[in-house]
Amino acid sequence: MAEALLQIENLKMHFPVYKGALIRKEVNRVRAVDGLNFNIFKGETLGLVGESGCGKSTTGRSIIQLYRPTEGTVKFDGKDLTKLSKSELHPYRRDLQMIFQDPYASLNPRMTVGDIISEPLKVHNLATGGIQKRVQELMETTGLDPRFIRRYPHEFSGGQRQRIGIARALASEPKFIVCDEPISALDVSIQAQVINLMEDLQKDFGLTYLFIAHDLAAVRQISDRIAVMYLGKMVELADGEEMYAHPTHPYTQALISAVPIPDPEVEATRERIVLAGDVPSPLNPPTGCVFHTRCPFAYERCKKEVPEFQEAGPGHFVACHLVDEPERRKDAPNAPNDREKRAAIAAMNNAIKSGGLDKSEEE
Amino acid sequence: MGEKSAAPLLELKDLKTYFKTDDGIVRAVDGVSYTVRAGESVGVVGESGSGKSVTQISILGLIPSPPGFNAGGEILFEGEDLLKKSKSELRKLRGNKISMIWQDPMTSLNPFLKVSRQLIEPLQTHQGLSKEEARAKAIKMLEKVGIPAAKERFDQYPHQFSGGMRQRVMIAMALLCEPKLLIADEPTTALDVTIQAQILELMKELREDTGAGMILITHDLGVVAGMADRIIVMYAGRVVEEAASKELFAAPSHPYTVGLLKSVPRLDRGRSERLIPIEGRPPDTSKDIPGCGFAPRCPWATDECTKEFPSRKKMSDDHYVHCYRAEEVYAAKLGTHASAKHVEKIEQGVRNGSTIDPATGDLNG
Ligand SMILES: Nc1ncnc2c1ncn2[C@@H]1O[C@H](COP(=O)(O)OP(=O)(O)OP(=O)(O)O)[C@@H](O)[C@H]1O
Ligand SMILES: Nc1ncnc2c1ncn2[C@@H]1O[C@H](COP(=O)(O)OP(=O)(O)O)[C@@H](O)[C@H]1O
Ligand code: SF4
Ligand code: SF4
Ligand SMILES: [Mg+2]
Ligand SMILES: [Mg+2]
C-alpha cells in the first residue's frame, strides 16, 4: 500500500476577489485551500470530509489541475503537474479523471449517452475502430443497458445518470479518479448501488480514489484512510478505523459525535459535542488555528500560532497544539467534562458492541 | 417528552391526494392513515417521491389546485376535518395551531422584510399582542434559539444571517405562536452536520418545553432514530409500516424498511459491512400499480403480492405492517443489529423460494 501515487506539498488555491467594473482591482482573496501536505497511495480510497465550503472540491480540482494551484506541488508518478504547460499536461489527463456531484448538471443534455461516454476516447485517441463496442462495454460494466446508447441524459434516473458519469470517467482507463460527492444528490436507496459499484470497479481496475463527501458515514464506508478539512486546512488524517476509534483533533471529535446513528438505543445514550457558532468566512479566516473561534479547548497559543500538521501516532496526522500540550485539554475552561464524556463514549461503545453486530451470525 | 393524551391530535384517515398531469393521474398520496398524539414526535421516512411532503402539504391545505385535488379521506385535527374548512379558517390555523419548518428557510421568510417585522406581525394578528409585547416576546424567542446578539440583529434582513441562523429564525417563527402541531420537512437536510446537531438539539429542547406534537420528515434514518417516538414508513404514496421507534429499528417487518436500514452507510460500522442496496427504483404512481408496489424490487415477493394491496396487519401494540410475509420478516430479525451477512443469507434464501420458520426465524429447508 505504502507507495505514493500522488504527493501533495504545500498545496494552495486562492481565488482573487475583484471590485470595480472598469478598473478591476483585487481587494481580497478566498483562501479556499491553504497549504495541504499529504500523499495518496496507489490503490487506496482516501476519503475527504468537511463542511460545505471548507475546500474539498477545490482540493480535488487542483490536484488534477482543473484549477492551476496558486502555490505548492502535486507530484504524480514523480512528475510535478503544477509545472507542466497545458500541452504537456494533456497525456496526464487520461490518467486523472473526475466524477461530479450533480449528475444533472454535469452531462451535456444535447449529447447522447454514447457521445458522452466516447468523448474521452476520442480526445485521447483510444479504442480507434471499436468505439461503439468499447462504449457498450463501459455501459455494461457500470450497470447500464447498452441498448440505451442513443438516449439522452434526461431519459435516465439520477442513479443512472451518475453511472453515465462513472462510465465516462472510466473510458480513458485512468489511474486516479476524484469522486466529488458522487452520491450526495442520490436517493438513499440508490446511494448503496453506486457505492458498491465504485468499490467493485476499484477492485477490478486497480483504481485510486479521492472520495469527497460531507457525509462522514458514507466516507467511512468506502475509504481506507480519511482526511478531515476545516476552512482550507487539513486538520486530521488517519486510517478509517483509527480515525473513528481515536479522533484526536477537537473538530473531528465534534464531527464524529454529531453524525446520527440509525439505532434509537445508541442515539439515546450518545453525548453530542455541540459546537457553538458557524464556520467563519474563508475571506477572513481566524488567526493562528483556524478552528479557535469554535474550539472548546482553545487557549492563548491557538490565537497566535498556526498548529503544524504533524504525526501524532503512526500514520495519524493532526494539526492541533494539544498534540504537544495534552494537559491543556483538561485545563480548558469550556471543555466538556472529561469524565462524563468518557463515560458517555464507553456507554455508546458498549451499546454498539452488545447490539451492534450480530455475533452469532458471524460464525 | 410531553404528556400524551389518548385522543389523537391529528388523525389522517385514508387520505388521497392526486395530481392531474399530462402522463395521467399521479396518485401522490393514496390512502394514507396515521395519527399524531399530543406531545408526540412522529418521524416519516421513505424515498424521494413517496408522498411524504404531499401528505403534509395536504394537512396544511396548501396543495396547488389544479393540478392537485383531494380524492377522498379525512384529516381530523382536534376532531375537526380540515378538508371541510374554508380557506380563511385554514389560514388561521397555519402559523398558529399548526406551524411548519421547511428545508429551505426562505420558503417561510420573506427576503424583502426585516426579520423583526416577520416575527412581530403574526403575534399581533394571532395573539393580539401590542407591538411592544410582541417585540419583547420575539427577541426572547430569538435568544432562546441561540441567535447571538439577538437584539442587535432583530432588525436585519434574512440574507444577513447564515444558513444555520436562518433555520433558527424560522424555528423561532414556527414556535412563537405556541403551536399544537409542528410539521418539519427535512429541517436539517441542507445544513452541515455540526449545524444539524445544533438545530436538532434545539428542536428537541423546545418541543419538550412547549409539549407540541411533531411530524418530522427526513430521509436520514439516523435523525429519526434520535428524534422520533414513532415512525411511519412510506412507499409509493402509501404507509407500509408504522411502529414505535425502538420497535421499528429492532424488528422491522416490511422488506422495504429492512432495505432502507441495510442500504445506508453507518458511522459505527465501517468498511467490513458491505451495503445491501435496494435494486431498481420506485414505481411511477401515475401507472396502475397492481398489488404491493414494492413487489418488483422485493426479494420476498410471491405471486400473491401483485394481486391486491396487502391489508393492515397488527404485529404488536402500535406496530402495523402492510405485507403478506410480515410475520416471516419479523421473525428473521433483520433489524438495525443484524449483520449484513445475516440479511444477505435470509434474502438469498427467500429469493430462491424458501420460507422462514416463524418460531425460530431460520430458513426452512
Ligand atoms: N404539483 C404537482 N404536480 C404533479 N405531481 C406532483 C406535484 N407535487 C408532487 N407531485 C408528485 O407527487 C409524488 C409525491 O411527492 P412528494 O413531494 O410528497 O414526495 P416526498 O416523499 O416528499 O419526496 P422527497 O423526499 O423528494 O421530498 C411525486 O411523484 C411527485 O412527483
Ligand atoms: N471558482 C471560484 N472562485 C471563487 N471562489 C471559489 C471558487 N471555487 C470555490 N470557491 C470558494 O472556495 C471555498 C471552498 O470551496 P469548495 O472547494 O467548493 O468547498 P467544498 O467542496 O468543501 O464545499 C468556498 O468559500 C468557495 O466559495
Ligand atoms: S490548536 Fe487550539 S484551537 Fe486549534 S484545535 Fe487545537 S486546541 Fe483547538
Ligand atoms: S407484500 Fe409481497 S412484495 Fe410486498 S413487501 Fe411483502 S413480500 Fe414484498
Ligand atoms: Mg464541493
Ligand atoms: Mg419532500
Side-chain angles (χ1 to χ4, degrees):
Chain A
M1 169 78 65
E3 198 188 339
L5 180 71
L6 285 148
Q7 291 163 290
I8 290 123
E9 268 173 46
N10 191 31
L11 182 68
K12 289 190 184 173
M13 185 70 221
H14 295 177
F15 297 103
V17 179
Y18 297 105
K19 216 177 187 169
L22 285 175
I23 307 156
R24 296 217 313 161
K25 207 176 120 206
E26 184 182 327
V27 290
N28 206 338
R29 9 185 58 205
V30 179
R31 292 173 178 80
V33 169
D34 206 21
L36 306 187
N37 293 287
F38 63 103
N39 290 342
I40 302 176
F41 299 132
K42 258 188 193 145
E44 81 165 334
T45 298
L46 176 64
L48 187 58
V49 288
E51 300 182 72
S52 92
C54 73
K56 304 180 295 295
S57 302
T58 305
T59 302
R61 287 163 176 259
S62 16
I63 290 174
I64 61 170
Q65 306 301 305
L66 283 181
Y67 290 151
R68 302 312 298 266
T70 314
E71 224 181 291
T73 58
V74 175
K75 277 194 193 140
F76 173 73
D77 265 352
K79 193 101 186 158
D80 182 2
L81 301 177
T82 64
K83 301 285 181 308
L84 300 182
S85 69
K86 215 174 154 194
S87 60
E88 286 170 323
L89 207 51
H90 183 76
Y92 289 95
R93 296 242 176 258
R94 199 192 143 175
D95 290 327
L96 310 166
Q97 289 291 332
M98 181 143 177
I99 301 169
F100 298 88
Q101 164 166 5
D102 188 349
Y104 301 84
S106 62
L107 303 175
N108 185 336
R110 278 181 293 274
M111 283 165 79
T112 65
V113 172
D115 294 336
I116 291 170
I117 300 175
S118 63
E119 204 177 28
L121 296 173
K122 290 174 187 152
V123 170
H124 295 288
N125 275 320
L126 303 167
T128 34
I131 286 193
Q132 163 122 350
K133 194 169 143 263
R134 175 77 179 123
V135 169
Q136 285 177 328
E137 194 181 288
L138 285 161
M139 289 180 76
E140 203 94 59
T141 310
T142 50
L144 291 163
D145 190 333
R147 283 176 306 175
F148 296 163
I149 189 163
R150 263 174 263 291
R151 292 203 181 172
Y152 290 89
H154 74 262
E155 297 174 77
F156 292 88
S157 70
Q160 287 172 320
R161 282 186 240 209
Q162 201 50 283
R163 288 172 197 269
I164 298 171
I166 295 173
R168 176 180 58 186
L170 285 177
S172 64
E173 298 170 45
K175 296 201 172 90
F176 175 65
I177 304 182
V178 173
C179 318
D180 192 359
E181 310 246 12
I183 56 165
S184 308
L186 304 177
D187 215 335
V188 267
S189 78
I190 311 298
Q191 288 187 358
Q193 296 177 5
V194 173
I195 289 186
N196 284 359
L197 171 67
M198 292 184 53
E199 285 188 329
D200 292 341
L201 294 173
Q202 177 169 49
K203 261 185 236 126
D204 294 349
F205 301 111
L207 297 166
T208 303
Y209 290 146
L210 178 68
F211 186 91
I212 299 175
H214 62 271
D215 174 359
L216 194 52
V219 164
R220 176 140 198 256
Q221 178 73 40
I222 196 165
S223 307
D224 298 291
R225 291 191 304 151
I226 298 176
V228 181
M229 277 185 81
Y230 186 83
L231 215 61
K233 305 268 192 196
M234 196 171 280
V235 298
E236 188 157 4
L237 168 64
D239 173 79
E241 292 301 311
E242 164 75 7
M243 183 76 88
Y244 180 68
H246 306 291
T248 303
H249 195 281
Y251 176 64
T252 314
Q253 291 173 342
L255 205 58
I256 287 180
S257 87
V259 178
I261 289 175
D263 182 340
E265 288 165 52
V266 173
E267 281 294 301
T269 56
R270 271 178 102 198
E271 186 86 0
R272 291 237 139 82
I273 304 169
V274 176
L275 290 177
D278 289 311
V279 185
S281 156
L283 271 171
N284 191 11
T287 56
C289 171
V290 285
F291 188 54
H292 87 247
T293 54
R294 298 173 82 197
C295 179
F297 307 107
Y299 59 103
E300 272 317 298
R301 185 181 172 196
C302 307
K303 289 179 197 148
K304 295 184 203 125
E305 204 182 312
V306 179
E308 207 184 314
F309 191 56
Q310 56 182 314
E311 204 162 1
H316 188 156
F317 295 84
V318 184
C320 171
H321 294 313
L322 295 174
V323 174
D324 319 323
E325 297 185 271
E327 65 287 354
R328 288 281 183 173
R329 200 181 277 268
K330 285 186 216 77
D331 302 344
N334 302 328
N337 183 326
D338 254 25
R339 225 186 60 218
E340 272 173 30
K341 210 175 82 201
R342 269 202 308 276
I345 291 172
M348 178 179 109
N349 285 340
N350 283 337
I352 293 168
K353 261 187 230 133
S354 61
L357 284 177
D358 194 347
K359 285 288 181 312
S360 62
E361 294 301 328
E362 296 294 270
E363 266 79 69
Chain B
M1 239 56 22
E3 89 278 16
K4 284 172 208 166
S5 58
L9 176 68
L10 176 79
E11 193 171 6
L12 304 179
K13 285 188 173 167
D14 201 27
L15 179 68
K16 293 181 181 169
T17 306
Y18 294 176
F19 293 93
K20 270 200 194 89
T21 72
D22 295 344
D23 297 331
I25 291 192
V26 174
R27 288 176 292 255
V29 171
D30 202 16
V32 162
S33 306
Y34 60 79
T35 58
V36 180
R37 294 167 207 135
E40 184 185 37
S41 155
V42 173
V44 183
V45 298
E47 64 205 287
S48 187
S50 58
K52 307 181 296 290
S53 299
V54 171
T55 309
Q56 308 317 319
I57 297 167
S58 309
I59 295 170
L60 297 165
L62 290 173
I63 292 288
S65 163
F69 62 96
N70 171 260
E74 289 173 285
I75 302 173
L76 302 177
F77 179 72
E78 294 185 321
E80 291 180 55
D81 190 353
L82 298 187
L83 289 171
K84 300 214 171 79
K85 295 220 180 270
S86 71
K87 278 210 165 94
S88 72
E89 284 174 310
L90 285 172
R91 203 172 307 124
K92 246 189 223 147
L93 273 176
R94 287 196 301 267
N96 195 14
K97 278 192 168 179
I98 304 180
S99 355
M100 46 275 176
I101 303 175
W102 306 107
Q103 174 173 343
D104 176 5
M106 292 319 282
T107 36
S108 302
L109 296 171
N110 183 332
F112 303 111
L113 295 182
K114 286 177 182 167
V115 162
S116 51
R117 181 147 165 224
Q118 303 190 51
L119 291 176
I120 288 173
E121 262 175 18
L123 283 175
Q124 288 177 292
T125 45
H126 288 310
Q127 297 194 350
L129 298 186
S130 75
K131 196 163 179 190
E132 285 64 43
E133 287 168 329
R135 195 176 167 89
K137 190 168 177 187
I139 292 180
K140 216 161 143 203
M141 184 56 89
L142 283 183
E143 280 166 355
K144 210 165 169 183
V145 299
I147 302 281
K151 240 190 217 125
E152 287 80 68
R153 308 205 61 163
F154 196 47
D155 288 309
Q156 292 186 332
Y157 290 90
H159 72 261
Q160 293 172 289
F161 291 79
S162 72
M165 279 209 270
R166 258 178 276 182
Q167 207 72 11
R168 285 164 190 274
V169 172
M170 185 171 50
I171 291 175
M173 194 153 126
L175 291 171
L176 263 180
C177 290
E178 293 153 32
K180 295 267 173 61
L181 178 65
L182 184 63
I183 296 176
D185 193 345
E186 305 269 8
T188 56
T189 304
L191 303 174
D192 283 317
V193 55
T194 63
I195 311 292
Q196 164 170 295
Q198 294 172 357
I199 300 287
L200 292 179
E201 203 85 355
L202 172 70
M203 284 174 57
K204 226 188 224 167
E205 241 172 67
L206 293 176
R207 228 175 48 72
E208 272 163 28
D209 286 0
T210 60
M214 176 166 78
I215 302 177
L216 172 68
I217 303 182
T218 167
H219 66 278
D220 189 333
L221 290 173
V223 169
V224 279
M227 297 285 291
D229 303 324
R230 214 149 45 81
I231 295 171
I232 309 285
V233 183
M234 284 192 70
Y235 190 77
R238 289 176 153 144
V239 173
V240 295
E241 180 159 14
E242 67 169 287
S245 182
K246 264 194 189 157
E247 163 93 353
L248 188 98
F249 280 95
S253 306
H254 194 285
Y256 177 63
T257 312
V258 174
L260 280 181
L261 265 176
K262 293 302 153 192
S263 61
V264 295
R266 294 175 56 146
L267 188 60
D268 57 343
R269 292 280 168 94
R271 289 208 91 166
S272 52
E273 288 275 291
R274 199 171 152 88
L275 301 178
I276 309 175
I278 306 173
E279 299 303 338
R281 52 181 172 133
D284 179 350
T285 54
S286 68
K287 306 275 171 331
D288 200 30
I289 300 172
C292 172
F294 192 55
R297 307 172 78 186
C298 179
W300 301 72
T302 63
D303 293 342
E304 188 189 16
C305 300
T306 48
K307 286 185 186 128
E308 222 176 297
F309 186 71
S311 55
R312 193 166 185 251
K313 266 185 210 169
K314 183 169 179 156
M315 305 306 293
S316 64
D317 263 357
D318 243 3
H319 188 173
Y320 298 91
V321 191
H322 292 268
C323 169
Y324 289 112
R325 304 187 68 177
E327 294 81 2
E328 290 176 83
V329 181
Y330 180 93
K333 296 193 194 73
L334 306 174
T336 186
H337 297 163
S339 67
K341 249 194 213 145
H342 173 64
V343 179
E344 263 170 343
K345 188 184 86 187
I346 297 284
E347 289 190 348
Q348 198 51 49
V350 294
R351 207 177 259 125
N352 293 336
S354 294
T355 53
I356 301 289
D357 182 339
T360 64
D362 292 333
L363 285 161
N364 282 324

